[in-house]
Amino acid sequence: MKSVFVSAPAKVNLALRVGARRPDGYHDLDTVFEAVDIFDDLQADLAPDLRLEISGLGENLPVDESNLVIKAAHLLQKATNTQQGAHIKVHKRIPVAGGMAGGSADAAAALLALNTLWDLELPDSRLTELAGELGSDVPFALLGGIARGTSRGEQLVSIKPGTLHGWVFLTSATGLSTPEVFHCFDEMFPAAGNPPATTQLCQALTGSDLSAIAQEMVNDLAAPAAALRTDIADICAELAEFPGKTILSGSGPTIAIFCAAEAAESLAQEMQEKFPSRTALAAIGPVTGAHIRRVEK
Ligand code: C5P
């Protein structure tokens, strides 16, 4: 029985500039993504029907049509007119509803795995198009590295990074709904226009000066997310005295601390003691996007 094994990374937004709500309900963004080395693993086995199992952090997630992995499989079946099926197992390490695009990573992993499992031979450009139909962050989960995202976040331009970065993620056991955070943004900023440009950050990222990068990091969803979750404001207030740069990851509630790559592990230990209500994860970035690790016949 043929099997394909894929891993796909979590992301953090070094900048997330948000514009006004569009007629289609989405917001125009100017954002900078970085893929970090926290991976979800996906195994797809050839089978007559479509089935999904989840282990790790996402044990209670739905495994029906509402899951992005099943949506990805159906989209691929429809786009290529194939009736083939798969039994898919996802092992999750990326926090669920944490602002780190775990669901998008799984969707990207499913597209890549099934393209090979079903011998579809779709080019990367077509997989990226399908990824954009599944969600705004899915194309980046395929691409990886560092990239500037515009429109809904799905129009990507890669940035060649000047150096590796370290991260400590303070993850929460309770997630936050992205649509709710955007809705709260609309209420707080009814006069939002075009999103401010991230040009200076993109420039700084081609170099190795971490303080120049940190200076340009900003997340427009920080205020609405903190309005919905008091723990975000509390932790950020405590971290304000800390010399490192702290930023909300995506729509939260994960809080990300930016540091030198070699400092991440010891900083994570320190942060775990300081914030016992959260789980501190050390990571480095940028790393590769969704990739095939193994194929078995
Ligand atoms: O694209 P995705 O399905 O991941 O987006 C989830 C939700 O986040 C959307 O339904 C929308 O409420 C919000 N969103 C937005 N503007 C974006 C991306 C997401 O308003 N650019």
Side-chain angles (χ1 to χ4, degrees):
M1 180 184 55
K2 188 175 176 186
S3 301
V4 180
F5 299 78
V6 170
S7 292
K11 63 84 182 161
V12 59
N13 302 77
L14 290 132
L16 182 46
R17 306 310 317 252
V18 182
R21 188 175 181 275
R22 312 191 310 199
D24 65 1
Y26 285 92
H27 295 72
D28 272 322
L29 305 180
D30 193 339
T31 187
V32 180
F33 297 104
E34 177 167 323
V36 296
D37 75 329
I38 300 171
F39 290 96
D40 280 359
D41 296 336
L42 182 146
Q43 174 181 346
D45 303 330
L46 206 53
D49 59 342
L50 210 50
R51 203 187 302 160
L52 173 62
E53 274 173 53
I54 300 178
S55 60
L57 286 181
E59 268 169 358
N60 299 322
L61 282 174
V63 290
D64 60 9
E65 312 289 313
S66 64
N67 193 297
L68 267 186
V69 169
I70 298 291
K71 284 187 183 162
H74 280 154
L75 186 64
L76 213 46
Q77 283 176 330
K78 205 170 134 215
T80 60
N81 242 330
T82 184
Q83 314 292 326
Q84 299 179 82
H87 287 179
I88 302 174
K89 292 179 200 138
V90 175
H91 184 72
K92 291 194 68 67
R93 297 186 192 87
I94 307 172
V96 175
M100 299 186 74
S104 301
D106 301 342
L111 287 176
L112 197 61
L114 296 176
N115 190 38
T116 295
L117 188 74
W118 293 340
D119 293 319
L120 302 175
E121 296 182 1
L122 292 184
D124 289 353
S125 56
R126 182 69 182 124
L127 286 183
T128 301
E129 265 172 32
L130 295 174
E133 286 181 40
L134 290 166
S136 310
D137 293 341
V138 185
F140 178 72
L142 277 177
L143 182 68
I146 298 185
R148 183 177 189 173
T150 53
S151 188
R152 284 188 293 132
E154 87 289 10
Q155 301 289 337
L156 299 170
V157 177
S158 285
I159 294 169
K160 194 169 176 291
T163 187
L164 271 179
H165 311 140
W167 295 94
V168 174
F169 295 101
L170 297 175
T171 72
S172 168
T174 320
L176 190 51
S177 148
T178 301
E180 268 182 51
V181 177
F182 274 103
H183 182 71
C184 186
F185 173 89
D186 294 337
E187 288 182 345
M188 289 176 97
F189 305 105
N194 291 326
T198 60
T199 325
Q200 275 170 330
L201 173 64
C202 295
Q203 182 57 41
L205 283 164
T206 62
S208 56
D209 182 349
L210 296 185
S211 59
I213 296 167
Q215 210 179 339
E216 300 296 335
M217 285 166 60
V218 55
N219 186 342
D220 290 338
L221 295 181
L228 292 167
R229 282 278 295 260
T230 51
D231 60 332
I232 293 175
D234 293 346
I235 295 172
C236 289
E238 274 199 62
L239 284 170
E241 292 147 36
F242 177 78
K245 176 73 184 183
T246 301
I247 191 164
L248 187 76
S249 180
S251 57
T254 302
I255 292 164
I257 307 167
F258 181 68
C259 61
E262 56 276 16
E265 290 288 344
S266 62
L267 183 60
Q269 282 176 20
E270 191 188 322
M271 290 297 143
Q272 189 59 79
E273 280 164 30
K274 198 168 162 64
F275 300 106
S277 66
R278 294 264 178 151
T279 299
L281 299 177
I284 56 156
V287 296
T288 177
H291 56 280
I292 296 178
R293 285 187 297 115
R294 198 163 89 236
V295 180
E296 287 174 6
K297 287 273 179 201

